Amino acid sequence: MSLPKRVVLVGPMGAGKSTIGRLLAKELGYQFMDSDRIIEERCGANIPWIFDVEGEDGFRQRETAMLRELAEQDQAVLATGGGAIMRPENREVLKQDAIVIYLRTSIEQQVERTRKDRNRPLLQNEDPEAVLRKLFSIRDPLYTGLADIVMQTDRKSPRLVVRQLVNRLNPKTPRHKRKVYKEGRHHV
Ligand code: S3P
C-alpha cells in the first residue's frame, strides 16, 4: 500500500487520537492537524465554552465546517473529535482520499484516560462511564464501518501503536527507507 494523501484518526474520547496522531505524523513526515484544537484556536474559546454558549449543535456546525476545510490538506494526519463520525456528511468528507484509522479502545481504558479531564463537556456529569458506554454502543459500528484499519489501543503505548500503524500502512518498506517521506515523497 503506498501512503495516502491523508491519514484520518477516529475513535472515542480517550483513545489517544492526538498523541498518536502527532507521533504518526512525525514518523511519516506529514503535518499534524487536530480538529478540536484548531476549532478552539479559531474561536478563541475552549470546547466547554463553545458547548455552553452555542450548545452541542453549535459545536457540531463548527466541526463540520472545520473537517471540510482540513480535508483539503495533503500529506496530513488528522485527529478528529470522538463525535465527528456522527454526521453522514462528515463521514463522506473524512474518507475522501484518505486512509481512516479507528483507534479502538475499551470502555475501561476510556474511563481511565478521561478520569481527570475537565475539557470534555459530555463527561461532566454524575456517571461518565455510563455516557461512554452509551456513546460506544452507538458509535462503534460507525467507526468500524468507516475505517480502513481498526487498531486496538488497549494496554499499548502510543509509540507501539504508531509502530504497528506504520507497518500496516507500508509493510514492505524497510525502516531506514521510510525517512524519504520526510523529503516530501509519499509514494514508494
Ligand atoms: C466529543 C469528543 C471530544 C470533543 C467534544 C465532543 C464527542 O473530542 O470533540 O468534547 O462527542 O465524543 P475527543 O474525542 O478528542 O476528546
Side-chain angles (χ1 to χ4, degrees):
M1 194 191 303
S2 58
L3 283 179
K5 279 190 180 175
R6 258 179 316 287
V7 177
V8 173
L9 300 182
V10 300
M13 294 178 267
K17 298 178 296 272
S18 302
T19 310
I20 290 166
R22 188 168 287 112
L23 287 170
L24 181 62
K26 208 168 164 206
E27 190 68 22
L28 301 177
Y30 277 19
Q31 60 170 321
F32 173 65
M33 309 183 301
D34 186 324
S35 157
D36 282 348
R37 296 296 80 77
I38 302 173
I39 291 171
E40 291 185 323
E41 277 164 30
R42 292 276 178 88
C43 196
N46 64 16
I47 289 178
W49 187 94
I50 301 172
F51 268 67
D52 227 32
V53 174
E54 300 180 351
E56 183 170 347
D57 272 359
F59 171 74
R60 296 297 171 201
Q61 277 174 38
R62 287 182 183 275
E63 185 175 50
T64 296
M66 183 54 63
L67 295 174
R68 269 202 206 113
E69 185 183 324
L70 296 179
E72 303 277 309
Q73 302 290 318
D74 285 357
Q75 294 201 294
V77 174
L78 169 61
T80 60
I85 44 71
M86 291 304 292
R87 290 187 170 186
E89 70 258 45
N90 293 357
R91 296 200 291 274
E92 279 307 309
V93 161
L94 291 176
K95 72 181 184 200
Q96 230 136 66
D97 296 326
I99 292 274
V100 179
I101 297 169
Y102 171 22
L103 298 178
R104 197 162 195 272
T105 308
S106 68
I107 304 288
E108 291 67 32
Q109 287 272 291
Q110 293 176 42
V111 171
E112 174 64 27
R113 293 186 189 148
T114 57
R115 206 155 30 98
K116 295 191 189 116
D117 192 277
R118 295 286 160 269
N119 213 33
R120 292 177 167 112
L122 298 178
L123 302 182
Q124 307 313 306
N125 55 64
E126 296 276 277
D127 195 351
E129 178 170 346
V131 174
L132 288 168
R133 266 184 209 291
K134 178 149 189 263
L135 292 177
F136 187 77
S137 70
I138 298 166
R139 294 175 176 180
D140 180 59
L142 296 172
Y143 295 131
T144 306
L146 186 65
D148 301 290
I149 295 175
V150 177
M151 175 63 66
Q152 197 69 43
T153 71
D154 278 11
R155 291 179 299 278
K156 289 182 193 167
S157 70
R159 285 197 181 278
L160 176 59
V161 173
V162 169
R163 203 174 332 129
Q164 293 179 340
L165 284 175
V166 169
N167 287 337
R168 290 280 291 274
L169 286 168
N170 220 334
K172 292 199 197 85
T173 312
R175 203 179 158 72
H176 67 279
K177 285 216 172 150
R178 290 188 199 127
K179 304 275 185 236
V180 299
Y181 310 143
K182 294 187 175 138
E183 287 148 31
R185 277 202 279 151
H186 56 93
H187 292 283
V188 174

